[in-house]
Amino acid sequence: QVQLVESGGGLVQAGGSLRLSCAASGHTFSDLYMGWFRQAPGKERNFLATISWSGGTTYYADSVKGRFTISRDDAKNTVYLQMNSLKPEDTAVYYCAAAARYGGTAWAATIEGYDYWGQGTQVTVSS
């Protein structure tokens, strides 16, 4: 079983920045591709970003492209989501996800494209 633990959430003012971390255990981290999703109250869980095993390939949802950056540090078994220019509509629970098999960009942008999920971390952006 792969375990994922998110951290770094909290309260931030609109226009501010926050960096989320996701630490993985129970699997060779370099063999996983990683993703970030978020879910606002009463809303569906939406894809944000994904990164390949090597870190050389990334893909972002249009809603966050140019503001959010996904990265990974294989030595620390950790994936990050740097969030800049935060908006109140970014308020949500943010989830880290992992999978061993990469099926292309479209597949990696779906919930079904991932096998393991973290518990989520709350991000609240005040206006």
Side-chain angles (χ1 to χ4, degrees), residues 1-2 4 24 26-35 50-54 72 97-104 107-108 111-117:
Q1 173 77 289
V2 172
L4 305 173
H27 196 279
T28 302
F29 184 72
S30 61
D31 290 341
L32 301 172
Y33 73 88
M34 308 293 296
T50 188
I51 188 167
S52 66
W53 306 274
S54 67
R72 63 189 294 158
R101 300 174 301 280
Y102 182 69
W107 181 246
I111 294 173
E112 292 79 7
Y114 297 86
D115 303 306
Y116 310 102
W117 295 85

Side-chain angles (χ1 to χ4, degrees), residues 17-31:
S17 298
L18 208 59
R19 189 180 75 162
L20 305 182
S21 299
C22 174
S25 63
H27 196 279
T28 302
F29 184 72
S30 61
D31 290 341

Side-chain angles (χ1 to χ4, degrees), residues 2-87:
V2 172
Q3 293 186 344
L4 305 173
V5 180
E6 302 99 333
S7 62
L11 176 65
V12 64
Q13 295 180 8
S17 298
L18 208 59
R19 189 180 75 162
L20 305 182
S21 299
C22 174
S25 63
H27 196 279
T28 302
F29 184 72
S30 61
D31 290 341
L32 301 172
Y33 73 88
M34 308 293 296
W36 285 97
F37 291 73
R38 69 185 179 190
Q39 187 167 19
K43 305 294 184 180
E44 64 182 348
R45 188 157 60 206
N46 292 324
F47 165 78
L48 296 176
T50 188
I51 188 167
S52 66
W53 306 274
S54 67
T57 300
T58 58
Y59 178 72
Y60 299 91
D62 289 341
S63 61
V64 302
K65 190 172 184 178
R67 298 190 298 124
F68 291 10
T69 302
I70 188 171
S71 62
R72 63 189 294 158
D73 186 340
D74 289 350
K76 296 181 178 180
N77 294 339
T78 300
V79 64
Y80 304 95
L81 186 68
Q82 178 67 46
M83 306 185 295
N84 299 324
S85 302
L86 284 164
K87 307 172 182 179

